[in-house]
Amino acid sequence: MEKIALISDIHGNMPAYEAVMNDIQERKVTQIICLGDLVGKGPHSEQIVDRVRETCDTVIQGNWDDFIGNKTTDPVLLWQQERLGKERMAYLKGLPFCCEFWMSGKFVRLFHASPRSVYERIQPWDSMESRLSMFDSSEACGAQREADVAGYADVHNAFLQILKGRMLFNTGSVGNPLDMTQASYVLLEGHYTSEQPGTFNLQHVRVPYDIELAVQHAKDERMPDAEAYILELRSGQYRGRKKTSGG
């Protein structure tokens, strides 16, 4: 059986990324897939883009990756754009929308936010109708069939739900977790590319990292909006607000 690591929502946080990659390296992972949002929020977006391009086998697009290169007057985004440069932003803009494959007889579809858009936000507590729609296909996807396993990112809340015999999960966030203050990623284990039923395992992994080092990085770089970012890192709450998450 093969073991695939799914990471997402790194958001320029190098200490969290390095901690997760060290953990992945100890687990004999055969493939690493990134579900987007490499950039924004944190101080080292450019470093994360370079590292992800080196270490990940597949990278799909997140909402930040899509809009970061757009024209803007926002000083926070302008600061990020200056550090990224045109080539990295072009790379992010050209990333694919989703990743699909068979594993142990289950059709797996991975995307950033929903099978329709990188901007459609669906939380684990949303309506059954909304959550079931995550198994749908769309023109943005490759195969025009429902998924047996749908995995996504975006909301920074790690979870797994079995809905009418199918599996919906969220990877959580590597660099900006909003459920607990540890980096999050997912391991899939099974017979990769096989359409024959077999053992399928999904594991959420939480990795402690040096939060105060990440805080210091933001201060050292004089990152605009650092105060809100630091609050999220230390509290695991979206801009300090409870019961709401996303990124």
Side-chain angles (χ1 to χ4, degrees):
M1 293 200 298
E2 293 194 55
K3 194 179 291 184
I4 300 175
L6 309 179
I7 65 173
S8 189
D9 294 274
I10 308 162
H11 286 298
N13 184 338
M14 280 299 295
Y17 178 77
E18 289 173 346
V20 165
M21 292 307 295
N22 287 338
D23 191 80
I24 287 173
Q25 288 170 7
E26 294 177 357
R27 295 176 182 268
K28 297 181 180 178
V29 166
T30 52
Q31 187 179 164
I32 304 174
I33 301 174
C34 179
L35 274 63
D37 272 12
L38 288 65
V39 303
K41 295 197 171 189
H44 289 137
S45 293
E46 75 288 353
Q47 294 182 25
I48 293 296
V49 171
D50 293 345
R51 289 289 301 278
V52 165
R53 293 172 81 167
E54 293 172 357
T55 56
C56 293
D57 299 277
T58 302
V59 185
I60 62 177
Q61 188 180 73
N63 54 301
W64 272 86
D65 308 318
D66 180 55
F67 72 67
I68 192 62
N70 295 345
K71 289 184 178 180
T72 182
T73 57
D74 186 323
V76 175
L77 297 181
L78 288 170
W79 186 86
Q80 294 279 356
Q81 288 181 345
E82 183 176 355
R83 295 175 71 91
L84 282 165
K86 291 182 179 180
E87 192 278 332
R88 292 188 187 92
M89 290 190 291
Y91 163 76
L92 296 170
K93 196 73 170 179
L95 289 172
F97 178 79
C98 73
C99 176
E100 301 169 324
F101 53 87
W102 286 90
M103 193 172 206
S104 294
K106 299 182 186 299
F107 184 70
V108 180
R109 179 178 290 121
L110 306 174
F111 41 82
H112 182 73
S114 90
R116 296 164 291 274
S117 170
V118 295
Y119 297 102
E120 181 182 8
R121 182 151 295 158
I122 294 180
Q123 295 282 6
W125 51 79
D126 283 350
S127 70
M128 178 65 78
E129 181 181 6
S130 292
R131 285 175 288 144
L132 285 174
S133 77
M134 298 291 267
F135 299 106
D136 294 344
S137 184
S138 75
E139 292 182 0
C141 300
Q144 296 302 301
R145 57 162 294 154
E146 290 187 339
D148 303 306
V149 180
Y152 74 115
D154 185 56
V155 297
H156 301 201
N157 282 309
F159 74 89
L160 168 66
Q161 296 177 354
I162 306 299
L163 305 174
K164 297 188 176 182
R166 289 173 289 179
M167 187 178 293
L168 175 66
F169 73 92
N170 190 282
T171 60
S173 171
V174 170
N176 187 218
L178 298 175
D179 48 7
M180 62 186 295
T181 54
Q182 290 185 334
S184 176
Y185 77 99
V186 160
L187 286 172
L188 294 182
E189 190 172 13
H191 299 286
Y192 182 62
T193 73
S194 175
E195 298 184 31
Q196 297 301 313
T199 300
F200 183 94
N201 181 50
L202 189 154
Q203 177 185 358
H204 280 93
V205 183
R206 305 305 296 235
V207 182
Y209 74 97
D210 192 337
I211 293 173
E212 292 310 309
L213 178 59
V215 167
Q216 193 59 49
H217 283 178
K219 292 180 178 179
D220 290 345
E221 299 294 343
R222 298 182 179 180
M223 186 181 77
D225 205 30
E227 188 174 321
Y229 171 71
I230 290 168
L231 180 61
E232 288 183 340
L233 295 188
R234 287 174 169 166
S235 69
Q237 296 178 9
Y238 183 44
R239 305 289 161 170
R241 295 196 298 272
K242 297 181 179 180
K243 297 183 180 179
T244 305
S245 302

